[in-house]
Amino acid sequence: MSIDVRTLNEVEPRPRRVAIGTFDGVHLGHRQVIEGNETVLTFEPHPLVVIHHDAAPKILTPLPMMARILEGIGVEEMVLIEFDAQFAQRSAEDFVRRILIEKLGATHVSVGENFRFGHKAQGDPAYLQSFGEFETRVVPLVEEDDEIVSSTQIRGLVAAGEVSRAAHLLGYPFTMAGAVQHGDKRGRELGFPTANLVPGENDAVPGHGVYAALTNGVPSAVNVGVRPTFVTGRGVLVESYLIDWSGDLYDQEVEIAFLERLRGEKRYDSAEALIEQMERDVQRAREICAAADAGRR
């Protein structure tokens, strides 16, 4: 079974169990809201891009990745609402009657306790519960280690390089995806050819440093940053050295799943010193990836 991804205009009303939210990251809290629902109703772009652009968050899971994660947890249908200035003016009542009842045919609606909707966030879970056309399930916020699990918290962890903690709250390793770009071949000259991703402007990116990761499932040592040992004039790059692997990944899509931060990014006095450090990084990344693989068995 593959998930059916549709825009709101493409769906026909039928009895649906619907989970509603932005669900960026599809983290442990989101999964409690989604559980038991075959349809996820979400928004593209993130509502803050329209409502308060300067406060718009970096995205943990672009839509294609979100769809794959949702499919993996049993969701059958993802319905996308195009969130624009016009949609932002819809009243809470209009959202419920026109979209949930008339357009989707919702019989059950599931939301988190902090869900707000409608013009100026007039609607809340209690308002949903006032409608008799569907049953409303309100899911309490999920806590881990006395902290509320939220996309905002996870973005902060990723930005700080705390990818292992982020993975604990996501339920899977934080992952970046994209087509491999041609770089300046610096890694190849040093004996560590890399597959390079250029982060999008709106993508969440781990803090500058070196990480153990899996690139398309292959153990990898990954550098995130600007390569301070060399003057390149380039922006932030995600460079993945696939350990004990050879091949050509240029222009191919890859996914880099970050497991653990090894160290911060540092400027070295010579290429030789950098190579020695990279050899240590690769060995440590190899060990971490092997341990993660053993833990999954």
Side-chain angles (χ1 to χ4, degrees):
M1 182 200 76
S2 60
I3 191 169
D4 189 2
V5 181
R6 302 183 180 190
T7 66
L8 187 63
N9 292 332
E10 294 171 330
V11 300
E12 296 294 334
R14 61 172 174 79
R16 282 180 170 89
R17 302 179 70 95
V18 183
I20 314 172
T22 54
F23 299 126
D24 184 32
V26 197
H27 58 58
L28 298 181
H30 293 151
R31 293 176 190 224
Q32 294 292 318
V33 177
I34 293 167
E35 184 179 5
N37 297 278
E38 76 273 9
T39 296
V40 161
L41 179 65
T42 192
F43 310 92
E44 174 61 19
H46 192 287
L48 282 177
V49 172
V50 175
I51 297 170
H52 191 357
H53 187 271
D54 291 342
K58 300 294 186 181
I59 299 301
L60 296 166
T61 47
L63 280 178
M65 187 180 297
M66 182 188 290
R68 290 197 301 274
I69 295 169
L70 291 174
E71 181 179 352
I73 61 175
V75 174
E76 299 174 8
E77 178 184 48
M78 181 166 74
V79 178
L80 304 176
I81 288 177
E82 180 183 354
F83 199 97
D84 55 18
Q86 182 178 356
F87 188 87
Q89 297 299 313
R90 279 181 179 258
S91 68
E93 180 177 11
D94 186 69
F95 178 84
V96 173
R97 295 198 180 280
R98 300 292 184 186
I99 294 177
L100 297 184
I101 297 173
E102 295 180 14
K103 190 65 178 174
L104 294 178
T107 59
H108 295 75
V109 171
S110 181
V111 295
E113 66 175 75
N114 60 347
F115 180 66
R116 300 293 183 271
F117 64 99
H119 183 53
K120 295 185 178 179
Q122 297 166 334
D124 60 12
Y127 183 67
L128 288 172
Q129 290 174 321
S130 71
F131 288 83
E133 289 87 346
F134 50 80
E135 179 182 325
T136 299
R137 181 170 70 101
V138 182
V139 179
L141 298 175
V142 171
E143 291 190 10
E144 285 283 326
D145 301 327
D146 298 322
E147 287 187 288
I148 293 173
V149 179
S150 71
S151 299
T152 299
Q153 179 197 22
I154 294 168
R155 290 186 194 104
L157 291 171
V158 170
E162 297 183 41
V163 293
S164 56
R165 175 64 178 161
H168 178 66
L169 302 182
L170 286 167
Y172 62 92
F174 169 73
T175 301
M176 297 188 70
V180 174
Q181 305 291 311
H182 290 266
D184 52 20
K185 306 296 193 296
R186 186 79 62 181
R188 188 176 302 279
E189 293 171 5
L190 297 173
F192 297 91
T194 58
N196 303 327
L197 297 185
V198 178
E201 180 182 357
N202 300 318
D203 294 340
V205 181
H208 292 189
V210 179
Y211 297 82
L214 297 172
T215 303
N216 286 2
V218 178
S220 307
V222 179
N223 187 82
V224 179
V226 294
R227 287 129 297 137
T229 302
F230 307 99
V231 178
T232 65
R234 296 173 66 114
V236 174
L237 197 63
V238 179
E239 304 170 288
S240 177
Y241 171 66
L242 285 70
I243 301 171
D244 301 327
W245 184 93
S246 62
D248 182 1
L249 290 173
Y250 285 128
D251 302 320
Q252 296 186 41
E253 291 286 325
V254 297
E255 290 193 352
I256 302 175
F258 291 83
L259 302 181
E260 187 174 320
R261 190 174 193 256
L262 305 180
R263 61 177 176 87
E265 192 176 39
K266 177 182 175 181
R267 186 184 186 280
Y268 290 86
D269 293 333
S270 67
E272 290 74 19
L274 175 58
I275 290 169
E276 289 179 5
Q277 180 61 58
M278 291 170 69
E279 289 172 345
R280 291 191 289 271
D281 294 337
V282 166
Q283 181 56 33
R284 182 68 183 127
R286 181 186 281 113
E287 293 167 357
I288 291 169
C289 292
D293 182 57
R296 288 192 296 268
R297 294 179 182 175

